[in-house]
Amino acid sequence: MGASGRAGEIRRVAAELWRGGRGPTLVAVGGGWFLSIGVRLVYPAVLPYLRTDFGLDLTTAGLLITTLWVAYALGQLPGGLLDDRAGSGRLLVASTAVSAVTLALVVTVGSVGALFVGTALFGFATALYGVSRLTLLVTTYPDRGGTAVGVVQSAGDFGSSVLPPLGSLLAATFAWEVGLGFAVPLFLLAGVGLHVAVPGDGSGTAETATLATTLRRVTEAVRDPAIATVIAVQTLGYCIWQSFTAFYPTYLAEMKSITPTTAAVLFGGLFALGIVVRPISGTAYDTLGPGRALPIVFAVITVTMGLLPFVDGLPALVVVTVMASSILGYATVTLTYLTEALDDDIQGIGIGSIRSGYMLVGAGFPTVVGVIADAGFFDEAFFLLAGIGAVATLLSLRMPGTEGTTSAA
């Protein structure tokens, strides 16, 4: 297909997504996800300023990021239950409104304790959005659900690339409160947009007895050796992702003599590359199969983590940042495989339960890295991440499906 043919195909798909009055819904949901994931990743970008203002050591700073992501993990399953009962539209509006309130609490705190409480509440509020955006999009686009989800995911990558540098710039120019607080009115605006654009409430019909039966079936499914192996790989990858994203801007500022604002730009560039990395990983999954695609991804991750302590200078760090973008691709393979491996009628609650599990494990690793860094071994913390990547690489070689497969995601 030539360039004109590809352009025509893109226009045709865009027209289908907008058809039937659904376009404003897609824009509103994408805008909310742009903020939900993007503002969470502003935290690492403003962490140097939080450390200065509150006198946080690296261990406590890591614990703050852990708190954010533990709360996000704990919100996955309740988010699914509330989505079934209250409806997707209502929960999306509630999530953005509560996110605005809790973020306002964070930027007006006067103590470390209140900072942690506000951060936990903000993490839980954004978790509610993560579940409902998927169910709403699949319902709204029964014929183009995967495409619609991909568009919204790209909006999240865009938010992750532009909001951390913006937050860091505002923190450097004014104060860290401005670096986070600028998003409060944007969350409120997103809530209004969702209230106007999302039709109906999308209420579900889940029942308690059905939920109990479903959870038993999920437990039985994850005992399958193949699925258990993929969950283990996903968990290890998430530990690396959490630790790296939590401390990369701080590491660049403290160990590589990069200004916090420049570090935040590199951090944002990492996620901008995700717009390319995710589709490439998905294509590799479709054409090579998970057993061939994933070892390649984790091999690059492992090399990058081990190489970073030896690299100095902005040009070289740009190259390493490009390599580190591979960390955004592994979940495309693992989560697609897990979704396809579960029966259709337990996919939602199954993936939600699995997500809660690996997120809780991974959320603790920023604290581990913080403790290691405080002990004077910041470089060695990345060697630990490289070791985890090596284990994940070996495990991924045992993944089923070395032949090409067609993704249902």
Side-chain angles (χ1 to χ4, degrees):
M1 182 184 294
S4 60
R6 286 193 295 270
E9 176 66 13
I10 292 173
R11 286 194 296 269
R12 184 181 66 81
V13 172
E16 288 184 21
L17 293 175
W18 198 265
R19 188 176 300 146
R22 299 178 297 181
T25 298
L26 186 66
V27 171
V29 175
W33 187 239
F34 169 93
L35 290 172
S36 180
I37 182 64
V39 176
R40 266 178 280 142
L41 289 167
V42 171
Y43 264 83
V46 301
L47 201 56
Y49 306 99
L50 287 169
R51 290 188 63 214
T52 299
D53 204 35
F54 286 97
L56 306 178
D57 58 21
L58 289 168
T59 300
T60 307
L63 185 59
L64 180 66
I65 303 299
T66 290
T67 299
L68 174 68
W69 289 100
V70 165
Y72 184 73
L74 292 175
Q76 299 297 313
L77 191 54
L81 297 176
L82 288 172
D83 180 79
D84 286 337
R85 287 158 174 76
S88 303
R90 290 173 181 168
L91 197 57
L92 289 173
V93 172
S95 174
T96 52
V98 176
S99 294
V101 172
T102 53
L103 193 60
L105 173 63
V106 169
V107 300
T108 56
V109 301
S111 68
V112 174
L115 173 66
F116 272 78
V117 171
T119 296
L121 293 174
F122 176 69
F124 191 89
T126 56
L128 304 182
Y129 200 99
V131 175
S132 290
R133 70 187 165 94
L134 298 174
T135 58
L136 179 67
L137 290 171
V138 170
T139 301
T140 305
Y141 293 94
D143 53 340
R144 283 284 184 182
T147 304
V149 170
V151 169
V152 170
Q153 289 290 81
S154 294
D157 284 329
F158 184 53
S160 300
S161 66
V162 302
L163 294 185
L166 175 60
S168 179
L169 178 62
L170 292 173
T173 305
F174 302 103
W176 71 264
E177 291 90 344
V178 181
L180 279 172
F182 78 92
V184 172
L186 297 180
F187 271 116
L188 293 174
L189 182 62
V192 172
L194 286 162
H195 177 71
V196 173
V198 176
D201 59 22
S203 296
T205 58
E207 299 176 0
T208 303
T210 302
L211 175 62
T213 301
T214 300
L215 288 175
R216 282 197 300 271
R217 292 180 59 201
V218 170
T219 301
E220 294 172 357
V222 299
R223 290 174 180 169
D224 179 271
I227 294 178
T229 298
V230 179
I231 292 174
V233 171
Q234 169 66 20
T235 302
L236 293 173
Y238 194 70
C239 290
I240 301 172
W241 186 91
Q242 280 284 15
S243 303
F244 182 78
T245 58
F247 278 106
Y248 192 44
T250 301
Y251 178 78
L252 292 175
E254 297 202 1
M255 303 297 290
K256 303 298 182 181
S257 301
I258 301 295
T259 66
T261 300
T262 302
V265 171
L266 285 174
F267 188 59
L270 176 79
F271 288 96
L273 290 167
I275 299 173
V276 177
V277 169
R278 293 183 200 272
I280 291 175
S281 298
T283 300
Y285 175 88
D286 290 340
T287 57
L288 301 177
R292 290 178 179 169
L294 207 57
I296 297 172
V297 175
F298 270 109
V300 177
I301 293 172
T302 300
V303 170
T304 304
M305 296 299 109
L307 181 64
L308 181 58
F310 300 103
V311 173
D312 289 298
L314 185 58
L317 288 170
V318 170
V319 173
V320 170
T321 300
V322 172
M323 294 175 61
S325 67
S326 58
I327 202 172
L328 303 175
Y330 78 91
T332 303
V333 177
T334 52
L335 292 180
T336 300
Y337 176 85
L338 289 171
T339 301
E340 293 179 346
L342 297 172
D343 292 338
D344 291 346
D345 57 336
I346 63 170
Q347 282 180 348
I349 189 99
I351 292 299
S353 301
I354 292 170
R355 278 168 61 87
S356 288
Y358 72 73
M359 284 182 176
L360 283 172
V361 174
F365 264 74
T367 301
V368 174
V369 171
V371 170
I372 295 172
D374 264 337
F377 300 102
F378 214 159
D379 284 334
E380 286 75 7
F382 286 90
F383 294 146
L384 171 63
L385 299 184
I388 295 173
V391 174
T393 303
L394 293 175
L395 278 177
S396 64
L397 291 171
R398 299 177 57 191
M399 281 185 64
T402 56
E403 72 285 349
T405 182
T406 300
S407 172

